[in-house]
């Protein structure tokens, strides 16, 4: 996922890039291509890259343990500059380019941001319910019910 920036004119530029999930070093549950729509906004001192990327993955539902396919999407902005000033520290979203560096490789930021976009709780559908045979195994009483049961019992006494 590389863009050649040598001779890039000032202003906005659009790119549609793709690369295989394996090529980007994503886990094997991601298949097919990672698609990235990248806009570069070049000014005298810097290039601002706005990246929208997506990849299809196969996940295991946290609730029913079933497999499901979902498209993971992310959007982020990175700034590339040629000037290193005292305040500018290199971080994930801010990069200092060497004078002779004329290719920006988006592979690793795209990969990192896609990984961050994977929800912590993976559900095949938002209203997925635990199948009864699994539910029966973790038969814990909701504390609110416990209180109610105690109340009922005290009524009897
Ligand atoms: Zn599920």
């Amino acid at each position: 996922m590389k863009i050649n920036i040598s001779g890039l004119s000032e202003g906005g530029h659009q790119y549609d890039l793709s690369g295989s999930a394996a090529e980007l070093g994503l886990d094997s549950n991601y298949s097919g291509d990672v698609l990235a729509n990248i806009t570069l906004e070049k000014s005298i001192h810097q290039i601002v890259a706005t990246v929208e990327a997506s990849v299809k993955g196969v996940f295991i539902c946290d609730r029913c343990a079933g497999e499901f396919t979902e498209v993971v999407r992310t959007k982020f902005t990175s700034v590339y500059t040629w000037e290193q000033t005292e305040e500018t520290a290199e971080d994930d979203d801010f990069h200092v380019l060497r004078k002779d560096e004329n290719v920006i490789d988006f592979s690793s930021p795209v990969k990192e941001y896609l990984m961050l976009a994977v929800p912590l709780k993976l559900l095949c559908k938002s209203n997925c319910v635990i199948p009864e045979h699994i539910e029966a195994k973790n038969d814990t009483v909701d504390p609110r019910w416990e209180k109610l049961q105690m109340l009922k019992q005290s009524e009897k006494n």
Side-chain angles (χ1 to χ4, degrees):
M1 293 203 157
K2 291 173 183 167
I3 295 178
N4 192 324
I5 52 161
S6 65
L8 192 72
S9 61
E10 277 178 37
H13 304 267
Q14 283 258 8
Y15 302 84
D16 276 310
L17 303 183
S18 65
S20 76
E23 207 176 287
L24 256 76
L26 288 166
D27 291 338
S28 57
N29 62 312
Y30 297 93
S31 56
D33 282 347
V34 176
L35 305 174
N37 178 268
I38 301 175
T39 305
L40 298 186
E41 196 66 44
K42 194 192 175 191
S43 56
I44 307 169
H45 300 293
Q46 64 182 27
I47 293 173
V48 177
T50 306
V51 182
E52 279 183 77
S54 64
V55 66
K56 204 182 267 183
V58 176
F59 304 97
I60 304 291
C61 176
D62 283 342
R63 220 168 260 169
C64 70
E67 270 192 7
F68 66 101
T69 305
E70 183 139 303
V71 177
V72 177
R73 294 172 201 282
T74 188
K75 186 177 179 179
F76 63 92
T77 302
S78 291
V79 177
Y80 295 83
T81 180
W82 293 272
E83 295 170 355
Q84 177 118 45
T85 61
E86 273 171 39
E87 312 92 79
T88 59
E90 180 106 353
D91 71 29
D92 282 356
D93 299 313
F94 190 89
H95 308 268
V96 178
L97 297 166
R98 293 190 312 274
K99 289 273 179 223
D100 61 343
E101 209 169 340
N102 48 29
V103 170
I104 298 178
D105 188 355
F106 287 95
S107 304
S108 60
V110 163
K111 181 197 168 188
E112 278 170 36
Y113 275 95
L114 281 173
M115 292 298 91
L116 288 174
V118 176
L120 286 178
K121 194 143 188 77
L122 289 161
L123 296 178
C124 61
K125 49 182 185 285
S126 59
N127 59 348
C128 171
V129 288
I130 302 171
E132 273 173 35
H133 66 278
I134 298 178
E135 201 160 31
K137 274 187 230 161
N138 347 311
D139 192 12
T140 49
V141 179
D142 188 309
R144 283 168 299 183
W145 289 116
E146 216 159 26
K147 252 191 194 148
L148 203 70
Q149 277 176 343
M150 274 159 67
L151 271 175
K152 273 188 187 161
Q153 268 182 355
S154 61
E155 272 170 27
K156 275 181 219 157
N157 296 337

